[in-house]
Amino acid sequence: MNSRKEKMFPYLLIAPSVLVILLVLLIPLGYAVYCSLYTAKYMSFDNFVGIKNYLKIVQNTEYLSLFGRTFYISAISLVISLFLGLAFGLWTHKCKGIYAYAIQLVVLVPWVTSQVVSTMLWKWVLNEDTGLFNFILQSLGGQKLAFFSDKSTAVIMLILIMAWRTIGYAMVNILAGLKGIPISIEEASLIDGANGWQRIRFIRIPMIKTQLLISAVIISLSNINNLVVPMALTGGGPGTATNVITLEIYKIGFQSYQFGISSALSVLLFIITVILSIVYVKAVRYDI
């Protein structure tokens, strides 16, 4: 009897976690797949259409351009985040005492701050008419800038703000990897005459490959699935310049009430993010 209880005990320990995953991931995912097989307009499931919603998406160039725009914005934001996260990580690793803590605090604040609060703050600062940035610029005799009424500028602002939000996460991961590098390896490189750049290129970066991979995967998933920042910052405008796939899913589902198409888009986005995660891991070929 005791032996049976001992065998069941590990399963009882993981049961709460499995239940949470079931409730917040698997059941909603299954329901989204179910909705995607119907027209599901106004949550009416009378008209079964099978994979027609998916075919409609694949054959529609507007939906394809949405995916392309989303990946373009996410990819550039990811590169900026990783580059600056690596730079701040190396800088913090070099600093000691209060300076290191100050850098970590300042860079990490955007990641831990509410996305709505931080995005609305940027929207106010960069507002064309009443924004703080243009007020200071005009006070210095310059011309005010239209950050969100020009398509190209709006896309750039969205990319930069999404990158700004995730730099701290990349920095913390990279810094953790740098702290884990054995001191003996660093000392050996100094004895061999390696300069600072050579130590970064041939020792530090290769030895934090795992942290870079984890940061890339998490930030990519965060960017691709981010609804709050584009909605609060630009609402998809001007026109459709910053209209990303998550924003379109929200508009189709909760404004037009076409849950069939929106569910199909959600399922496709889920599949793509899973594939991207697998590609990241396979491309790096490194044990996590």
Side-chain angles (χ1 to χ4, degrees):
M1 190 66 178
N2 290 334
S3 178
R4 185 179 178 183
K5 288 182 178 179
E6 289 178 358
K7 290 180 180 180
M8 291 299 297
F9 186 66
Y11 297 101
L12 292 174
L13 290 177
I14 66 172
S17 300
V18 172
L19 182 61
V20 170
I21 292 173
L22 186 66
L23 291 175
V24 303
L25 179 61
L26 297 181
I27 291 178
L29 177 61
Y31 188 68
V33 173
Y34 172 76
C35 290
S36 69
L37 301 177
Y38 291 81
T39 53
K41 192 167 185 179
Y42 297 101
M43 297 305 290
S44 175
F45 297 95
D46 298 329
N47 188 16
F48 178 80
V49 294
I51 63 170
K52 286 185 179 179
N53 285 329
Y54 295 97
L55 294 176
K56 188 182 294 185
I57 292 170
V58 174
Q59 294 169 357
N60 191 321
T61 55
E62 292 183 6
Y63 290 134
L64 297 179
S65 66
L66 276 172
F67 278 104
R69 187 183 302 121
T70 302
F71 296 140
Y72 169 76
I73 292 172
S74 300
I76 297 179
S77 176
L78 170 65
V79 172
I80 296 172
S81 296
L82 287 181
F83 178 78
L84 293 180
L86 178 62
F88 279 114
L90 291 169
W91 184 21
T92 308
H93 182 61
K94 184 179 179 181
C95 295
K96 302 294 182 183
I98 190 66
Y99 298 105
Y101 289 115
I103 296 169
Q104 292 178 61
L105 179 64
V106 171
V107 180
L108 192 59
V109 163
W111 177 257
V112 299
T113 304
S114 166
Q115 292 187 55
V116 176
V117 173
S118 58
T119 305
M120 292 303 294
L121 180 62
W122 275 113
K123 189 174 183 178
W124 170 72
V125 169
L126 300 175
N127 186 276
E128 183 177 353
D129 299 316
T130 60
L132 179 62
F133 185 87
N134 276 330
F135 173 77
I136 296 173
L137 195 62
Q138 287 182 304
S139 300
L140 297 175
Q143 295 287 332
K144 66 180 181 180
L145 302 175
F147 290 101
F148 301 121
S149 58
D150 179 76
K151 292 184 177 181
S152 300
T153 309
V155 172
I156 292 172
M157 289 298 104
L158 179 58
I159 290 171
L160 292 178
I161 291 171
M162 289 182 71
W164 166 82
R165 192 183 70 83
T166 54
I167 290 171
Y169 178 79
M171 180 200 70
V172 169
N173 271 342
I174 290 168
L175 183 60
L178 291 171
K179 295 297 184 183
I181 298 175
I183 298 177
S184 58
I185 296 178
E186 296 270 7
E187 292 175 345
S189 67
L190 288 172
I191 294 172
D192 290 338
N195 56 35
W197 167 245
Q198 289 173 331
R199 291 201 304 275
I200 292 173
R201 181 181 177 185
F202 296 109
I203 295 176
R204 293 177 181 172
I205 291 180
M207 295 194 72
I208 60 171
K209 194 183 294 184
T210 299
Q211 287 73 25
L212 288 170
L213 169 64
I214 293 172
S215 300
V217 172
I218 299 300
I219 293 173
S220 295
L221 296 179
S222 175
N223 289 342
I224 292 172
N225 293 280
N226 196 310
L227 170 65
V228 175
V229 173
M231 176 180 284
L233 188 68
T234 62
T240 58
T242 58
N243 191 33
V244 292
I245 190 63
T246 50
L247 198 53
E248 187 68 14
I249 290 171
Y250 172 82
K251 290 177 180 178
I252 294 174
F254 296 98
Q255 292 181 0
S256 301
Y257 301 104
Q258 298 180 27
F259 291 100
I261 289 291
S262 65
S263 297
L265 285 169
S266 300
V267 172
L268 287 176
L269 182 60
F270 171 77
I271 294 171
I272 290 171
T273 53
V274 170
I275 292 173
L276 286 176
S277 300
I278 295 172
V279 169
Y280 272 123
V281 175
K282 293 295 183 182
V284 174
R285 294 183 180 277
Y286 201 83
D287 294 332
I288 297 178

